[in-house]
């Protein structure tokens, strides 16, 4: 048996739009509702975490976990430009206070994909003005709640737009749909290409702008858009530190375990540079880095190698490969010497036995990295609850807790107590060498 160090955070993560429900002022709500939407279904009530957060956090605590990563929804806090909603900031104050009451460490994400609808009408994530808007939002949240927040992730998966851009280019070049598992977010590739023109016309009408100027966070990014995201991060970090220098500030990235067959090394180097290394100059004053990993990609002399037809896959189409996490942590540690938090790692599956095995193997990798001296301070599993997986709707099941959405009844899975037992007593199956 091997235990994690004292103070090592273990828990689970969610994102506001995916779990809260009725996020009516957000861009995602608008995108789900328009004619010709590429979303398989709308989020609607989601899993009603907005009203049931106490029950959900209590289930996390009862299992033995001590950390909850969640996001504050910008579209709730600032539903119209310049108008901050005191009732909504009070809601998140109560969520944070409940975490502290239950001795749960909150890790707060300020932006997890969804934005206020008005922001997109103002130019969205390709507009210089977004930097100032994000700074004002961060200032309001931290001035009201900062004393309750020990860790802030400014932006979730800052590199996701770049990863989506590569998928779109790949689809256009091949004139075929992308393979499942190409990107670590729920995109509906089946209908996206066919409906895109009609969909964007509808979005243009909804946001009141030229459809070509609809720049949501998950839209393909230009280099300018990439810069704006990172300057939003820097702006928020400076605002947070000016208000409360004790808050630890970081950002999270979607990172595959890129592996090279002979001749594939140059492709791995390119992917690693694009996924993380190109962003490092913006992160020099950060306190921690959030690592989000689900699987691996293998590269040969001609580029990415297709998954073996006999490969074990998750419901998302990723290769089932929990060892990817340890490999990514080793890669990151070669370029980052400050604390690392695993802010997401998990699996969509209908077999909770597969999830238990995934957690065991992934956390074995984390323990091995700790033994190697890598500075990892926490792990939050994705996700606490089965939830709304963006364009793919509710069919994906990443949660440690199942939800019957007809009644919103919670059904904790064995994997939740398994994760909590690791926090309490360690990994019984830990091996020094796999």
């Amino acid at each position: 048996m091997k235990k994690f160090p004292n103070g090592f955070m273990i828990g689970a993560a969610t994102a506001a739009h995916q779990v809260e429900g009725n996020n009516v002022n957000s861009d995602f709500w608008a995108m789900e509702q328009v004619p010709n939407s590429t979303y398989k279904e709308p989020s609607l009530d989601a899993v009603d975490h907005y009203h049931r957060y106490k029950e959900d956090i209590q289930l996390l605590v009862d299992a033995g976990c001590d950390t909850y990563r969640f996001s504050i929804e910008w579209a709730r806090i600032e539903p119209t430009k310049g108008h901050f909603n005191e009732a909504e900031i009070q809601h998140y104050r109560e969520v944070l206070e409940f975490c502290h009451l239950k001795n749960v460490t909150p890790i707060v994400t300020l932006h997890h994909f969804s934005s206020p609808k008005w922001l997109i009408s103002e130019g969205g994530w390709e507009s210089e003005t977004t930097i100032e808007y994000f700074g004002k939002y961060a200032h309001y949240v931290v001035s009201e709640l900062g004393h309750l927040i020990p860790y802030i992730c400014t932006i979730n998966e800052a590199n996701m737009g770049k990863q989506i851009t590569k998928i779109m280019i790949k689809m256009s070049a091949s004139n075929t749909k992308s393979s499942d598992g190409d990107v670590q977010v729920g995109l509906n590739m089946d209908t996206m290409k066919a409906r895109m023109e009609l969909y964007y016309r509808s979005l243009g009408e909804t946001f009141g702008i030229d459809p070509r100027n609809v720049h949501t966070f998950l839209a393909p990014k230009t280099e300018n858009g990439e810069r704006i995201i990172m300057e939003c991060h820097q702006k928020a970090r400076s605002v947070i530190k000016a208000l409360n220098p004790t808050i630890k500030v970081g950002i999270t990235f979607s990172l595959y375990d890129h592996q090279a067959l002979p001749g594939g090394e140059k492709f791995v180097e390119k992917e690693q540079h694009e996924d993380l290394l190109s962003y490092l100059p913006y992160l020099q004053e950060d306190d921690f880095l959030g690592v989000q990993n689900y699987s691996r990609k293998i590269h040969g002399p001609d580029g990415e190698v297709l998954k073996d037809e006999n490969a074990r896959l998750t419901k998302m189409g990723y290769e089932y490969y929990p060892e990817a996490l340890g490999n990514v942590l080793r890669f990151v540690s070669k370029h980052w010497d400050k604390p690392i938090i695993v802010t997401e790692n998990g699996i969509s599956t209908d077999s909770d036995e597969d999830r238990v095995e995934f957690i065991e193997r992934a956390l074995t990798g984390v323990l091995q990295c700790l033994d190697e001296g890598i500075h990892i301070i926490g792990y939050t599993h994705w996700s606490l609850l089965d939830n709304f997986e963006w364009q793919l709707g509710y069919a994906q099941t990443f949660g440690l807790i199942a939800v019957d959405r007809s009644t919103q009844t919670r059904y904790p899975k064995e994997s939740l107590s398994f994760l909590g037992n690791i926090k309490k007593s360690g990994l019984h199956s830990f091996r020094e060498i796999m």
Side-chain angles (χ1 to χ4, degrees):
M1 186 180 75
K2 177 83 168 181
K3 294 191 74 170
F4 281 86
N6 289 336
F8 188 91
M9 300 179 285
I10 293 182
T14 62
H17 188 79
Q18 293 178 268
V19 296
E20 286 182 343
N22 298 296
N23 186 20
V24 298
N25 294 305
S26 81
D27 55 349
F28 274 89
W29 183 272
M31 291 187 287
E32 295 158 21
Q33 304 283 340
V34 296
N36 305 300
S37 176
T38 56
Y39 288 73
K40 290 191 173 180
E41 58 187 316
S43 56
L44 303 179
D45 290 338
V47 291
D48 197 30
H49 183 66
Y50 188 89
H51 297 106
R52 299 168 188 264
Y53 69 87
K54 289 184 179 180
E55 176 185 0
D56 297 334
I57 294 169
Q58 188 65 55
L59 289 170
L60 186 71
V61 171
D62 290 346
C65 297
D66 70 348
T67 305
Y68 182 39
R69 176 183 174 234
F70 66 96
S71 69
I72 290 175
E73 180 55 59
W74 188 0
R76 293 187 189 276
I77 299 300
E78 192 178 4
T80 57
K81 185 173 71 171
H83 173 255
F84 295 103
N85 189 315
E86 292 183 8
E88 295 293 0
I89 206 74
Q90 176 61 22
H91 168 77
Y92 290 110
R93 182 179 290 112
E94 290 170 4
V95 176
L96 286 160
E97 287 173 345
F98 189 75
C99 286
H100 288 287
L101 178 67
K102 297 297 178 176
N103 295 313
V104 168
T105 299
I107 300 174
V108 169
T109 304
L110 292 181
H111 187 273
H112 195 128
F113 294 165
S114 51
S115 307
K117 182 182 175 184
W118 65 261
L119 185 81
I120 310 308
S121 299
E122 292 276 333
W125 292 94
E126 292 280 348
S127 172
E128 294 286 337
T129 58
T130 295
I131 301 168
E132 195 63 31
Y133 293 146
F134 191 64
K136 289 178 179 178
Y137 159 62
H139 186 280
Y140 180 71
V141 170
V142 175
S143 63
E144 293 285 336
L145 306 179
H147 62 291
L148 296 169
I149 307 175
Y151 296 92
I152 289 180
C153 306
T154 58
I155 294 171
N156 181 72
E157 294 186 337
N159 60 342
M160 183 54 72
K162 182 186 289 183
Q163 293 185 347
I164 290 172
T165 301
K166 289 193 284 188
I167 298 304
M168 295 303 186
I169 292 170
K170 182 177 172 182
M171 288 170 65
S172 296
S174 64
N175 204 33
T176 60
K177 79 182 182 95
S178 177
S179 63
D180 289 339
D182 266 353
V183 66
Q184 294 188 155
V185 67
L187 298 181
N188 183 8
M189 295 299 187
D190 292 329
T191 61
M192 186 178 290
K193 196 167 184 179
R195 290 190 194 170
M196 193 59 76
E197 186 176 346
L198 292 171
Y199 175 53
Y200 266 85
R201 283 182 191 169
S202 298
L203 291 184
E205 294 175 8
T206 294
F207 291 111
I209 56 177
D210 187 316
R212 293 168 293 185
N213 295 328
V214 175
H215 300 299
T216 61
F217 189 83
L218 292 185
K221 290 287 174 292
T222 65
E223 286 300 317
N224 185 58
E226 289 288 313
R227 176 188 59 79
I228 285 167
I229 287 172
M230 297 315 297
E231 290 193 14
C232 282
H233 165 66
Q234 290 182 313
K235 179 71 171 181
R237 183 183 63 208
S238 65
V239 164
I240 295 163
K241 289 296 187 179
L243 287 167
N244 189 334
T246 65
I247 297 174
K248 303 299 184 187
V249 182
I251 190 169
T252 83
F253 288 90
S254 166
L255 299 174
Y256 278 93
D257 173 19
H258 293 290
Q259 299 182 1
L261 299 174
E265 294 82 0
K266 63 182 179 182
F267 293 103
V268 168
E269 290 175 7
K270 180 177 184 291
E271 293 287 347
Q272 290 176 335
H273 177 78
E274 292 178 351
D275 281 357
L276 178 64
L277 302 184
S278 62
Y279 296 95
L280 291 179
Y282 294 99
L283 312 183
Q284 296 310 300
E285 297 177 31
D286 286 17
D287 298 304
F288 69 91
L289 183 68
V291 168
Q292 307 197 169
N293 167 262
Y294 292 85
S295 190
R296 68 174 173 177
K297 289 187 177 183
I298 300 173
H299 305 268
D302 298 317
E304 186 179 344
V305 176
L306 294 177
K307 291 183 283 287
D308 184 276
E309 62 181 19
N310 296 318
R312 185 178 178 186
L313 302 180
T314 72
K315 280 176 72 175
M316 285 286 287
Y318 308 152
E319 181 183 0
Y320 183 101
Y321 189 71
E323 287 70 31
L325 178 59
N327 294 337
V328 165
L329 291 169
R330 291 181 182 95
F331 157 67
V332 170
S333 71
K334 293 175 182 176
H335 306 277
W336 180 261
D337 60 4
K338 296 180 185 179
I340 299 168
I341 301 175
V342 179
T343 41
E344 287 184 26
N345 175 249
I347 174 179
S348 177
T349 179
D350 292 327
S351 167
D352 201 48
E353 289 182 2
D354 286 354
R355 181 175 291 104
V356 166
E357 179 191 346
F358 189 96
I359 292 170
E360 182 176 48
R361 287 167 57 182
L363 282 175
T364 294
V366 174
L367 276 171
Q368 289 170 339
C369 288
L370 286 167
D371 277 358
E372 294 163 20
I374 298 174
H375 195 182
I376 310 159
I377 61 172
Y379 173 95
T380 55
H381 189 81
W382 186 268
S383 176
L384 179 60
L385 299 146
D386 286 342
N387 60 49
F388 182 72
E389 183 55 32
W390 310 111
Q391 289 186 342
L392 299 180
Y394 290 103
Q396 297 297 325
T397 46
F398 280 94
L400 299 166
I401 300 169
V403 181
D404 178 349
R405 293 185 57 248
S406 67
T407 62
Q408 298 292 6
T409 303
R410 273 58 174 151
Y411 297 96
K413 303 175 189 179
E414 181 191 348
S415 51
L416 176 61
S417 58
F418 183 80
L419 183 64
N421 284 332
I422 291 173
K423 171 62 185 175
K424 289 184 282 190
S425 57
L427 267 173
H428 293 274
S429 63
F430 179 75
R431 298 179 296 280
E432 297 296 333
I433 301 174
M434 292 295 289

